[in-house]
């Protein structure tokens, strides 16, 4: 525990570098330029994403995903945000719009008070993480636009270091799996959903079509640790580079045992929601999957990344089925991660923004300010 505290202490010291001092000076400079008559205005509307293929997981299947698109305006500048609500998060159009209707930003006349604003949002009501993320993302986009810089640059990250992204192959018949793999030709690594009785068929079918590296996401689908280890060894022999959330998050000892014995890294996803879960995941998993919709947005995702790095854990930045708004927001962190799974906007046919692109499989950040998007 002492070493763990020292890691966290060192991370805090690093946060006090000249980079952050320069950022504070930039924020102060832009504050002085504002008219002083602005009001933060929040707008939002429900939207439904249509998937190109049915999205089949270990325990569910869907062809659409509900989202709520937000706008946060100040002094005529608009920041864009998004809440995406896959079923397991427990949020919906109704819960998100109800929560956002309770938000009163009239007490804030300075958008640069990000900590105060986002603390108010977080404590307004428990849960509602995707709803909170929609405001967090919009606020980051707004601030970036005011200071005319993208967030990867504000944080001091080199966009050239952004990794390739995996492309998700959902559980399906052998025929459809082969079709999906062919459609994924531009991508350098494939993420395969497992957790049903067809697991070996899925991998064997993909290996008939490609020898690309694979990662697998079981979505808590395996229950027995001996079986999970047997599968980890079998997958390792077939070019799988990591194993995501093999067993239910409640099986802490089993997951830790698997991590100790597995020939490939294990990643906690459903078990790692917010920053408090990072310490709990230490030595239970090899790494963590950070998603904006789980952790309330960019502010906490950034803190989780720093803490995970301080603990020596592998870091993955992931997504739900989302538009290019939330994908572009998450991609601002991508230059600092080991793996990216930022294909959510690639799986839909009705995106409403353009931002981060995937070029030759690589996450390619926009030079636009804020989260780097524009409306289509």
């Amino acid at each position: 525990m002492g070493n763990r505290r020292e890691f966290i202490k060192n991370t805090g010291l690093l946060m006090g570098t000249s980079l952050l001092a320069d950022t504070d000076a930039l924020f102060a400079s832009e504050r002085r330029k504002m008219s002083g008559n602005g009001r933060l205005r929040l707008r939002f509307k429900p939207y439904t994403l249509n998937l190109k293929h049915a999205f089949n997981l270990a325990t569910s299947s869907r062809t659409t995903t509900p989202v709520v698109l937000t706008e946060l305006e100040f002094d005529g500048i608009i920041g864009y945000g998004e809440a995406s609500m896959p079923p397991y998060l427990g949020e919906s159009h109704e819960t998100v719009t109800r929560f956002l209707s309770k938000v009163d930003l009239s007490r804030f006349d300075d958008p640069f008070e990000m900590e105060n604003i986002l603390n108010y949002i977080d404590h307004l009501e428990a849960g509602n993480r995707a709803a909170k993320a929609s405001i967090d993302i919009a606020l980051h986009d707004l601030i970036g636009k005011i200071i005319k810089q993208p967030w990867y640059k504000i944080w001091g990250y080199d966009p050239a270091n952004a990794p390739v992204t995996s492309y998700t192959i959902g559980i399906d018949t052998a025929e459809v799996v082969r079709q999906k793999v062919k459609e994924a030709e531009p991508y350098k690594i494939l993420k395969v959903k497992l957790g049903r009785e067809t697991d070996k068929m899925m991998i064997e079918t993909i290996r008939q079509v490609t020898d690309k590296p694979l990662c697998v996401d079981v979505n808590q689908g395996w229950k027995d640790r001996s079986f999970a280890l047997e599968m980890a060894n079998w997958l390792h022999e077939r070019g799988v580079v990591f194993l995501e959330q093999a067993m239910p998050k409640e099986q802490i000892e089993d997951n830790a045992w698997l991590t100790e014995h597995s020939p490939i890294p294990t990643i906690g996803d459903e078990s790692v929601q917010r920053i408090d879960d990072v310490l709990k995941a230490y030595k239970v998993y090899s790494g963590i999957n950070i998603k904006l919709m789980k952790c309330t947005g960019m502010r906490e995702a950034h803190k989780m990344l720093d803490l995970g790095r301080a603990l020596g854990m592998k870091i993955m930045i992931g997504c739900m089925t989302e538009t290019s708004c939330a994908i572009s927001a998450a991609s601002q962190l991508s230059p600092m991660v080991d793996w990216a799974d930022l294909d959510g906007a690639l799986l839909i046919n009705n995106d409403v923004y353009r931002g981060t692109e995937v070029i030759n499989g690589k996450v390619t950040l926009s030079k636009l300010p804020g989260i780097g998007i524009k409306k289509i």
Side-chain angles (χ1 to χ4, degrees):
M1 180 61 73
N3 289 338
R4 189 179 299 182
R5 288 198 185 100
E6 193 63 27
F7 274 132
I8 299 168
K9 177 183 175 183
N10 289 340
T11 305
L13 291 174
L14 289 173
M15 294 297 288
T17 61
S18 60
L19 169 64
L20 290 184
D22 290 344
T23 302
D24 289 342
L26 182 58
F27 279 15
S29 173
E30 293 302 327
R31 272 194 183 98
R32 289 192 290 270
K33 296 177 184 178
M34 295 189 301
S35 68
N37 299 318
R39 289 274 185 227
L40 281 167
R41 295 182 175 87
L42 174 65
R43 297 184 290 269
F44 52 90
K45 65 176 182 180
Y47 189 65
T48 299
L49 303 181
N50 299 319
L51 280 70
K52 295 176 182 177
H53 294 284
F55 199 63
N56 300 319
L57 308 177
T59 58
S60 64
S61 178
R62 67 179 189 275
T63 57
T64 61
T65 298
V67 300
V68 172
L69 307 177
T70 57
E71 294 183 357
L72 197 56
E73 183 173 357
F74 185 85
D75 266 1
I77 300 174
I78 299 174
Y80 299 110
E82 174 180 6
S84 173
M85 295 86 68
Y88 89 90
L89 283 182
E91 294 180 70
S92 64
H93 278 153
E94 292 72 26
T95 65
V96 171
T97 55
R98 179 191 57 77
F99 177 84
L100 295 178
S101 296
K102 293 176 62 176
V103 173
D104 177 13
L105 297 177
S106 63
R107 68 186 69 189
F108 304 105
D109 58 6
D110 182 353
F112 286 90
E113 294 180 21
M114 296 183 73
E115 286 293 316
N116 289 338
I117 294 169
L118 295 177
N119 280 335
Y120 156 70
I121 296 298
D122 198 15
H123 291 93
L124 186 60
E125 192 175 291
N128 295 286
R129 287 166 293 174
K132 293 170 182 177
S134 72
I135 298 178
D136 172 286
I137 293 168
L139 183 59
H140 278 80
D141 192 36
L142 175 66
I143 292 297
K145 286 174 176 174
I146 291 173
I147 64 177
K148 302 179 179 62
Q149 296 293 337
W151 271 93
Y152 67 81
K153 185 172 287 189
I154 295 170
W155 282 328
Y157 300 159
D158 182 353
N161 292 334
V164 298
T165 181
S166 55
Y167 184 88
T168 301
I169 308 295
I171 299 170
D172 223 311
T173 64
E175 180 181 359
V176 174
V177 168
R178 281 190 285 268
Q179 177 189 345
K180 290 178 178 179
V181 173
K182 290 176 181 177
E183 291 175 3
E185 177 59 32
Y187 306 97
K188 310 299 183 185
I189 182 171
L190 303 179
K191 178 175 180 177
V192 188
K193 294 289 188 177
L194 300 182
R196 296 186 184 178
E197 67 281 355
T198 57
D199 286 352
K200 288 190 175 181
M201 178 278 289
M202 288 284 298
I203 300 299
E204 288 167 347
T205 300
I206 291 169
R207 280 292 173 245
Q208 293 169 7
V209 182
T210 182
D211 61 358
K212 290 177 181 177
L214 307 177
C215 53
V216 301
D217 184 2
V218 188
N219 290 115
Q220 309 182 86
W222 300 337
K223 312 303 180 187
D224 178 76
R225 71 182 190 178
S226 296
F227 175 77
L229 180 59
E230 177 186 328
M231 285 298 296
N233 283 299
W234 187 85
L235 293 166
H236 176 57
E237 293 170 357
R238 285 152 183 82
V240 171
V241 296
F242 69 81
L243 176 60
E244 186 177 348
Q245 200 64 63
M247 292 179 285
K249 61 184 181 180
E250 296 83 7
Q251 296 179 213
I252 297 171
E253 291 185 5
D254 289 337
N255 280 301
W257 180 88
L258 177 63
T259 296
E260 182 181 356
H261 293 89
S262 174
I264 54 179
T266 63
I267 304 297
D269 180 9
E270 285 89 345
S271 56
V272 183
Q273 304 288 320
R274 301 198 60 175
I275 193 165
D276 289 347
D277 297 319
V278 178
L279 281 175
K280 296 174 186 176
Y282 181 57
K283 296 201 173 177
V284 177
Y285 304 95
S286 310
I288 58 174
N289 185 356
I290 300 171
K291 295 179 181 178
L292 303 191
M293 298 303 140
K294 294 189 303 183
C295 73
T296 73
M298 296 171 68
R299 176 184 70 153
E300 188 151 323
H302 186 229
K303 294 176 180 178
M304 292 174 71
L305 187 155
D306 284 341
L307 178 55
R309 280 284 179 228
L311 293 169
M313 303 182 79
K314 295 289 186 182
I315 306 294
M316 178 181 178
I317 186 75
C319 65
M320 309 300 182
T321 309
E322 299 165 353
T323 74
S324 289
C325 175
I327 294 296
S328 297
S331 71
Q332 303 300 308
L333 295 159
S334 66
M336 295 297 291
V337 306
D338 298 286
W339 299 296
D341 180 36
L342 295 176
D343 64 343
L346 304 174
L347 306 177
I348 63 173
N349 59 21
N350 60 337
D351 202 350
V352 289
Y353 303 99
R354 180 175 293 115
T356 293
E357 297 180 8
V358 177
I359 300 176
N360 294 323
K362 181 179 172 65
V363 176
T364 306
L365 291 148
S366 164
K367 294 181 180 179
L368 293 172
I371 61 172
I373 63 169
K374 60 182 178 181
K375 280 189 171 181
I376 296 176

